Amino acid sequence: MSAPTTERTARPRKSRTRSRNISVRPALVISTLRPHQYDLRAACASLICPDCKTWVPITGIQGRQQKLVPHDTGRAGKDAAVRCQGSNRLVTVDVAYETWQERLQDGGAETAARRPTTVLPKAFSPRTDQTLRARAERTSAGRVADWNAVLPKVTDVDLVRRQVPAGFAPLDGPPVPMTTLHPQYPAC
């Protein structure tokens, strides 16, 4: 039998293993990690491996001996199969679930308090500032006077718009109406 010519790739990580192997490295104490770096829920007990920085399940969370699941450093099926040094490392869970949950919630509230929540207005340009000040200083009498000054020009423009150019009437079909049509619906 010959050796395979292709390089092995990382395998999908099992959520539970029954390996009796134990790493020779010292046990990883949960209290030394930050609350957002581990999860103590029984359904998905896991933590961020300090060596490869990936989430790794903890086996035996309710048993007498907890340890990290054997895992590769790369992505499953993509990277080379290089076993992480943190595989099968014992884990000492010295934080109660309730304490962890309180620390996690306090950290979230503390982080939210540090983030600015108010929307700061955009700085005005000098022209915008001048326009806003002039608008605030105007009175209703000033607005009427401004409208009366512009009214003759507006009337002239309206008269020009109402004029129909000669020679542009449609050849086929009914003539173009010069008054606004208001259809009358029959009463029921």
Side-chain angles (χ1 to χ4, degrees), residues 34-101:
R34 294 184 178 165
H36 68 276
Q37 292 179 324
Y38 58 93
D39 189 352
L40 292 181
R41 291 178 288 179
C44 59
S46 57
L47 59 83
I48 295 177
C49 177
D51 298 315
C52 62
K53 307 294 185 221
T54 58
W55 282 94
V56 181
I58 302 172
T59 59
I61 192 70
Q62 294 176 341
R64 60 182 177 83
Q65 188 179 42
Q66 297 86 21
K67 64 180 180 176
L68 292 180
V69 170
H71 59 282
D72 295 328
T73 58
R75 295 174 302 188
K78 304 270 184 194
D79 298 330
V82 178
R83 184 56 57 112
C84 178
Q85 292 177 351
S87 294
N88 293 320
R89 187 172 179 183
L90 290 176
V91 177
T92 304
V93 180
D94 58 347
V95 177
Y97 177 79
E98 293 79 17
T99 308
W100 165 72
Q101 200 168 20

Side-chain angles (χ1 to χ4, degrees), residues 23-45:
S23 175
V24 295
R25 300 175 75 190
L28 182 63
V29 182
I30 291 273
S31 62
T32 61
L33 301 173
R34 294 184 178 165
H36 68 276
Q37 292 179 324
Y38 58 93
D39 189 352
L40 292 181
R41 291 178 288 179
C44 59

Side-chain angles (χ1 to χ4, degrees), residues 35-36 100-115:
H36 68 276
W100 165 72
Q101 200 168 20
E102 287 174 10
R103 285 184 189 168
L104 195 63
Q105 289 173 351
D106 290 344
E110 185 179 310
T111 304
R114 285 193 309 247
R115 293 187 180 138

Side-chain angles (χ1 to χ4, degrees), residues 91-152:
V91 177
T92 304
V93 180
D94 58 347
V95 177
Y97 177 79
E98 293 79 17
T99 308
W100 165 72
Q101 200 168 20
E102 287 174 10
R103 285 184 189 168
L104 195 63
Q105 289 173 351
D106 290 344
E110 185 179 310
T111 304
R114 285 193 309 247
R115 293 187 180 138
T117 56
T118 56
V119 177
L120 301 175
K122 183 179 173 185
F124 289 131
S125 69
R127 180 70 180 152
T128 306
D129 189 40
Q130 180 183 4
T131 305
L132 291 176
R133 286 176 194 264
R135 193 176 293 167
E137 292 172 1
R138 287 177 55 184
T139 60
S140 60
R143 285 190 214 114
V144 170
D146 290 345
W147 176 249
N148 289 336
V150 177
L151 188 59

